[in-house]
């Protein structure tokens, strides 16, 4: 049967529409967000919901600060569309290697973020009048103690008390240097821009840590190792992250996370856009998606750390929320020492101190 001109035109229009739809669908299917982040920050069910709602495929690479910086430095800021470095690890790296691009806050739904977290992150990631980070997940390091030694260990340096000899653990990493310095009455953050003064502080901490070696059961190097040491009772007190303490508290109420008298050390992991991101639009969609309170609470439940999402704690598992509130009253929160940006060269000094402590008898 011969087709009429009108039906032919209609067929052509339909065919054209079908082709356009096919091309659009292919383009949508090909869209991808390459995310480099920490374990627990992109739960499978959150990724699946984002992919379903946006049509954007999410490729997750698990990492840490050192690895993120190394990968982005090697490629000049290519290979990923969104990264999640800590707020104190951005400015120094950006100044040296130019691997990020400024955040366009007009594309971020800041109404769903804690204003204080936005302010703190902007202050610590500002460079030449531009901001390089959006707050994502935050937490602290402090003390995990068993009730049997809770009266003895109330600050970092109490880990060196003879009453807990052989029963304590901490990492040989920079947070230990910082925490001990504060507990010894010094302010290492205020000395960040004075190399001689900072080195003087490190020298005192080094001496303290060498004197404290006999108290240390072992220097823990991984979270699982630390949790095992506390579960078995081999270690009664440790310097560690709050999330680990809350996890142990859920298993054994006699173990709990305590904010030290001199103040817990606070960190904020951010969202940062790599300089050669190929899909900024998807990156901003992910930021605004995961910072919705009910979605952000699922990240807290997975990672054990709270987020900058305003009101998300209402949706967090009650046991985790209660453990958090037991560790932090208002005074303890106001006493948190937030990590400022690390100036270039400081980590070299710290590394030398840590190596000396490790090698000392």
């Amino acid at each position: 049967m011969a087709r009429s001109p009108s039906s032919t035109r209609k067929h052509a229009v339909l065919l054209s529409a079908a082709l356009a739809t096919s091309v659009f669908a292919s383009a949508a299917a090909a869209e991808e967000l390459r995310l480099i982040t920490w374990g627990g920050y992109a739960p499978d069910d959150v990724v699946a919901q984002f992919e379903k709602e946006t049509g954007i495929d999410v490729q997750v690479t698990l990492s840490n600060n050192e690895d993120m910086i190394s990968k982005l430095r090697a490629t000049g800021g290519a290979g990923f569309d969104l990264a999640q470095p800590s707020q104190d690890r951005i400015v120094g790296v950006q100044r040296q290697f130019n691997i990020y691009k400024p955040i366009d806050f007009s594309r971020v739904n800041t109404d769903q973020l804690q204003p204080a977290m936005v302010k703190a992150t902007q202050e610590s990631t500002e460079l030449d009048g531009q901001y390089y980070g959006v707050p994502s997940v935050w937490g602290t390091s402090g003390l995990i103690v068993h009730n049997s030694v809770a009266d003895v260990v109330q600050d970092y340096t109490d880990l060196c008390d003879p009453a807990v000899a052989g029963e304590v653990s901490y990492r040989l990493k920079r947070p230990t240097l910082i925490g001990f310095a504060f507990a010894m009455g010094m302010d290492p953050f205020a000395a960040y821009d004075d190399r001689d003064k900072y080195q003087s502080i490190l020298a005192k901490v080094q001496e303290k840590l060498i004197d404290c070696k006999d108290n240390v059961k072992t220097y823990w190097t991984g979270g699982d190792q630390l949790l095992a040491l506390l579960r078995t009772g081999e270690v009664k007190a440790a310097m560690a992250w709050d999330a680990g303490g809350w996890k142990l508290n859920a298993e054994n109420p006699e173990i709990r996370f305590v904010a030290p008298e001199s103040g817990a050390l606070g960190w904020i992991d951010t969202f940062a856009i790599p300089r050669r991101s190929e899909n900024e639009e998807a990156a901003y969609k992910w930021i605004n998606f995961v910072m919705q309170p009910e979605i952000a609470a699922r990240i807290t439940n997975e990672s054990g750390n709270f987020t900058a999402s305003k009101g998300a704690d209402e949706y967090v598992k009650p046991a985790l929320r209660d453990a958090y509130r037991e560790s932090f009253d208002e005074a303890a929160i106001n006493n948190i020492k937030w990590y400022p940006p690390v100036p270039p060269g400081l980590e070299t000094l710290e590394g030398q101190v840590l190596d000396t402590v490790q090698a000392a008898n």
Side-chain angles (χ1 to χ4, degrees):
M1 184 175 65
R3 295 176 178 172
S4 67
S6 60
S7 68
T8 301
R9 284 197 300 272
K10 184 177 179 181
H11 176 75
V13 169
L14 290 173
L15 181 59
S16 176
L19 286 171
T21 301
S22 174
V23 169
F24 176 79
S26 298
E31 190 172 0
E32 184 176 85
L33 171 68
R34 298 165 301 167
L35 172 66
I36 183 164
T37 186
W38 304 75
Y41 287 14
D44 291 343
D45 61 329
V46 170
V47 169
Q49 184 175 340
F50 179 80
E51 290 179 334
K52 182 178 180 181
E53 293 186 10
T54 65
I56 299 170
D57 184 35
V58 181
Q59 299 299 322
V60 177
T61 299
L62 298 183
S63 186
N64 55 49
N65 275 319
E66 288 73 21
D67 183 59
M68 270 182 234
I69 293 168
S70 177
K71 282 184 166 62
L72 292 172
R73 179 184 172 186
T75 60
F80 298 95
D81 304 301
L82 185 62
Q84 296 206 252
S86 300
Q87 96 283 6
D88 62 326
R89 304 297 298 276
I90 293 179
V91 170
V93 170
Q94 178 64 12
R95 188 180 284 121
Q96 282 186 285
F97 308 120
N98 189 27
I99 58 175
Y100 299 115
K101 60 174 61 176
I103 295 294
D104 180 357
F105 270 91
S106 70
R107 300 166 75 177
V108 177
N109 184 3
T110 54
D111 288 345
Q112 61 186 7
L113 301 178
Q114 297 280 358
M117 292 279 177
V118 174
K119 181 174 182 292
T121 304
Q122 287 183 332
E123 287 176 348
S124 61
T125 65
E126 186 271 336
L127 182 63
D128 297 331
Q130 295 181 303
Y131 306 120
Y132 287 84
V134 178
S136 172
V137 177
W138 68 278
T140 66
S141 55
L143 298 167
I144 300 177
V145 298
H146 190 277
N147 280 346
S148 60
V149 300
D151 290 341
V152 174
V153 181
Q154 298 181 359
D155 211 339
Y156 304 107
T157 48
D158 293 333
L159 295 170
C160 305
D161 192 296
V164 288
E167 297 181 311
V168 307
S169 183
Y170 43 81
R171 291 190 302 163
L172 277 184
K173 295 287 185 181
R174 68 185 310 268
T176 301
L177 302 178
I178 300 296
F180 270 67
F182 274 116
M184 293 168 69
M186 299 177 285
D187 186 345
F189 294 161
Y192 261 18
D193 293 324
D194 186 334
R195 187 183 177 95
D196 290 342
K197 187 173 183 180
Y198 193 69
Q199 198 152 24
S200 171
I201 290 174
L202 289 180
K204 295 172 184 173
V205 173
Q206 174 181 299
E207 184 178 355
K208 181 69 175 176
L209 290 175
I210 290 175
D211 287 345
C212 193
K213 287 194 78 167
D214 288 344
N215 261 40
V216 179
K217 175 73 176 179
T218 185
Y219 297 119
W220 65 270
T221 57
D224 289 342
Q225 177 195 15
L226 172 71
L227 297 184
L229 288 167
L230 286 155
R231 284 189 183 110
T232 58
E234 293 180 84
V235 163
K236 296 288 179 58
M239 182 177 175
W241 295 299
D242 48 21
W246 296 330
K247 184 174 185 178
L248 288 169
N249 182 258
E251 301 170 9
N252 180 357
E254 290 195 84
I255 302 174
R256 54 198 170 91
F257 178 82
V258 176
E261 288 180 345
S262 60
L265 303 177
W267 51 265
I268 302 172
D269 287 337
T270 71
F271 296 109
I273 310 286
R275 185 168 61 86
R276 294 165 64 189
S277 167
E278 295 177 3
N279 200 342
E280 272 187 71
E281 184 63 26
Y284 283 105
K285 283 182 179 177
W286 175 263
I287 293 170
N288 292 327
F289 175 79
V290 298
M291 285 294 101
Q292 297 175 90
E294 292 187 52
I295 303 294
R298 285 152 62 183
I299 293 175
T300 295
N301 290 336
E302 178 78 11
S303 68
N305 292 113
F306 285 79
T307 75
S309 173
K310 190 162 54 180
D313 57 330
E314 292 182 22
Y315 304 98
V316 171
K317 290 184 289 191
L320 179 55
R321 184 175 60 231
D322 293 347
Y324 161 77
R325 290 174 177 171
E326 185 179 353
S327 299
F328 287 102
D329 57 18
E330 187 174 348
I333 289 177
N334 291 334
N335 197 31
I336 292 174
K337 307 293 192 295
W338 297 102
Y339 285 107
V342 183
L346 234 60
E347 289 172 296
T348 302
L349 296 179
E350 294 165 348
Q352 292 168 351
V353 169
L354 295 168
D355 288 345
T356 301
V357 173
Q358 178 76 66
N361 293 320

